[in-house]
């Protein structure tokens, strides 16, 4: 019984570790992603994804600088949740319904191309 429990805990730990480690590449089309980004995201997040888009100065909550380690160390899943559901109490609304699932995958692939995943070591 004890051994089974330990094995279960170990298994869960491996699963969690793995999903974190392998879920780091969106298989989207970065070209389409770039077009989506330029049309819908650039005005806030900026050309260099640094949060300095033309609309940024007028927002109550500054758009995230996607180039910071804080953002780059987030898993694909965390970024996906932010884009589909939005960020609470901020001008970043959810894009589900406004963009197709494919467009969201593509734009995330573009973000990861421009601001690659970087684990906090
Ligand atoms: C109206 C301005 C605005 C637009 C347009 C916008 N965002 Fe955002 N975005 C924000 C703000 C503000 C935040 C949250 C900042 C905070 O809470 O610190 C945010 C957060 C995010 C995050 C979370 C980053 C993190 O590290 O947690 C991602 C990812 C993101 N935006 C991607 C996008 C994408 C992709 C688009 C286009 C489809 C987009 N945003 C369009 C303003 C915007």
């Amino acid at each position: 019984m004890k051994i089974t429990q330990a094995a279960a805990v170990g298994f869960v730990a491996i699963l969690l570790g793995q999903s974190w480690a392998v879920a780091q590449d969106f298989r989207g089309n970065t070209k389409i992603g770039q077009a989506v980004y330029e049309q819908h995201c650039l005005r806030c997040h900026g050309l260099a994804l640094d949060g300095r888009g033309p609309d940024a100065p007028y927002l109550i909550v500054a758009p995230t600088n996607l180039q910071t380690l804080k953002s780059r160390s987030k898993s694909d899943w965390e970024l996906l949740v932010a884009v589909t559901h939005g960020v609470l109490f901020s001008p970043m609304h959810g894009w589900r319904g406004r963009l197709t699932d494919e467009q969201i995958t593509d734009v995330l692939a573009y973000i990861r191309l421009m601001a690659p995943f970087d684990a906090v070591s």
Side-chain angles (χ1 to χ4, degrees), residues 36-37 40-41 43-45 59 61-64 66 70-71 74 79 82-83 87-88 90-92 95 99 107-108 111:
V36 172
Y37 184 86
H40 298 286
C41 323
R43 66 186 173 94
C44 291
H45 290 283
L59 299 173
V61 180
T64 308
L66 299 166
K70 189 161 179 256
S71 274
K74 287 188 177 163
L79 298 186
V83 175
V87 178
L88 214 58
S90 91
M92 173 75 187
W95 290 88
L99 297 177
V107 79
L108 284 166
I111 289 175

Side-chain angles (χ1 to χ4, degrees), residues 60-110:
I60 300 171
V61 180
T64 308
N65 175 350
L66 299 166
Q67 298 287 3
T68 58
L69 193 57
K70 189 161 179 256
S71 274
R72 290 173 50 178
S73 63
K74 287 188 177 163
S75 68
D76 286 2
W77 177 249
E78 286 173 293
L79 298 186
L80 177 69
V81 168
V83 175
T84 49
H85 299 290
V87 178
L88 214 58
F89 306 120
S90 91
M92 173 75 187
H93 59 71
W95 290 88
R96 177 177 275 169
R98 294 169 210 244
L99 297 177
T100 64
D101 288 353
E102 258 184 3
Q103 285 175 313
I104 291 177
T105 311
D106 292 344
V107 79
L108 284 166
Y110 176 69

Side-chain angles (χ1 to χ4, degrees), residues 35-57:
V36 172
Y37 184 86
E38 284 170 359
Q39 194 181 346
H40 298 286
C41 323
L42 190 150
R43 66 186 173 94
C44 291
H45 290 283
L47 192 62
L49 284 68
D50 57 0
R52 304 170 113 194
D55 284 3

